[in-house]
Amino acid sequence: MRLQLTTTAALAVLAFGATSAAAQDTASTSWTGPYVGGQLGYSWQPSDGDETITFDRGLDGTFGDTVVTGTGANAFSPGFCGGRYNNGTRAGGCRKDNDATAWKLHAGYDYQFGTGPSGFVVGAVAEGGVSYLYDYVTAFSTTPNAYTIGSRLTENYALRGRAGYAASTGTMIYGTGGATYGKIRNRYRNANNLPFSVNDRSKWQWGWNYGGGIEQKVGKFSVGALYLFTVMDNDDFVVRQTGAAPFTATNPQGTDFRRTFSKFAFHQLLATVSYRF
């Protein structure tokens, strides 16, 4: 991750360095107008080492209400981890979630106030792309067994507003935020290959994102660097574990599983390039 983050940052720095001589040629040009372009960079997830899986043997949709009392209350006493199990035992540990390269295409419109080479700029941008991110959490039981729930973001789109200030050198610093919409594919597995059922593996989910960036004009183009933090809903995926799942003696119908963190969240650092009409 450090290498790819460094590479992304280096690309942005080189782009700005290579355009310093051209900045004066574009300083008098307004930012007002439409543009199209692309983004390339890196996506990574917040630390999720404290996430767990909650479970319910009452099968009434109220998760956690039957965990703390009765036979089998300590079925998950071996603990949890924020990743995928290696060999099905707590001693075997887990593989961490992957970070990934991200790319997007975008189109937008900016409006610069005033008639001088500098001034406030507002605009809107629509974008879409992929991040190849996975987010896993595992519960270990005394059976022994391990139960992993995973989520993958396959594609996402966003509509963001942005506002900033453009200097007379052709450089703009801005903040941005808006709504996002993406497809999240959920999956489940257990180390003992016990039977299970799921309610819905794949869903389109809404969310929001915000961040900020810097952009430099180079003739008809602009290059920049952008940071975004994105959070999407992912709260309705439920697994019903049957077979020899915990609490089966008390409830032969099985046990429902759901992860405790109901969001899919990630950071992005992106190099951007746009053609301005």
Side-chain angles (χ1 to χ4, degrees):
M1 173 178 171
R2 288 182 180 177
L3 177 59
Q4 295 201 36
L5 284 175
T6 302
T7 302
T8 302
L11 288 173
V13 170
L14 287 172
F16 278 105
T19 60
S20 59
Q24 297 302 319
D25 295 335
T26 61
S28 61
T29 304
S30 172
W31 288 82
T32 298
Y35 60 92
V36 295
Q39 308 165 19
L40 178 64
Y42 198 70
S43 299
W44 72 99
Q45 295 171 311
S47 175
D48 57 359
D50 58 348
E51 186 182 5
T52 63
I53 292 176
T54 186
F55 46 99
D56 175 43
R57 58 178 170 162
L59 305 183
D60 56 5
T62 308
F63 282 82
D65 61 336
T66 58
V67 173
V68 295
T69 61
T71 303
N74 295 317
F76 288 101
S77 57
F80 306 85
C81 73
R84 291 173 287 177
Y85 63 81
N86 286 317
N87 58 18
T89 67
R90 188 66 183 93
C94 287
R95 288 168 283 175
K96 294 182 178 180
D97 294 334
N98 75 303
D99 301 327
T101 301
W103 64 265
K104 302 179 188 180
L105 300 176
H106 64 246
Y109 187 92
D110 286 328
Y111 178 81
Q112 181 174 332
F113 294 92
T115 58
S118 62
F120 291 99
V121 179
V122 297
V125 57
E127 62 186 20
V130 295
S131 296
Y132 306 108
L133 280 171
Y134 293 87
D135 184 16
Y136 290 92
V137 59
T138 295
F140 295 94
S141 74
T142 56
T143 310
N145 201 353
Y147 314 85
T148 293
I149 296 177
S151 303
R152 177 191 176 192
L153 180 64
T154 58
E155 55 185 300
N156 68 292
Y157 305 88
L159 179 62
R160 296 185 282 109
R162 67 180 200 164
Y165 183 80
S168 59
T169 58
T171 303
M172 179 172 64
I173 298 175
Y174 63 92
T176 184
T180 185
Y181 188 60
K183 190 173 187 178
I184 297 177
R185 191 177 302 275
N186 294 289
R187 59 181 62 185
Y188 171 80
R189 62 181 295 192
N190 67 85
N192 291 349
N193 295 317
L194 300 176
F196 63 89
S197 61
V198 297
N199 62 335
D200 197 339
R201 292 184 182 273
S202 182
K203 281 183 177 286
W204 286 91
Q205 302 281 18
W206 284 98
W208 47 267
N209 60 10
Y210 64 87
I214 184 170
E215 207 163 334
Q216 174 67 55
K217 279 196 168 185
V218 190
K220 281 288 190 178
F221 292 87
S222 62
V223 295
L226 171 65
Y227 164 78
L228 286 174
F229 178 64
T230 301
V231 178
M232 305 180 71
D233 290 329
N234 188 31
D235 57 356
D236 51 5
F237 180 67
V238 178
V239 178
R240 177 160 295 182
Q241 177 69 71
T242 55
F247 310 136
T248 301
T250 305
N251 181 15
Q253 294 181 359
T255 302
D256 283 351
F257 292 75
R258 186 173 67 184
R259 60 193 311 159
T260 55
F261 186 55
S262 62
K263 308 291 184 181
F264 191 99
F266 58 97
H267 304 271
Q268 290 184 312
L269 183 60
L270 303 152
T272 67
V273 59
S274 300
Y275 177 81
R276 296 187 165 268
F277 297 94

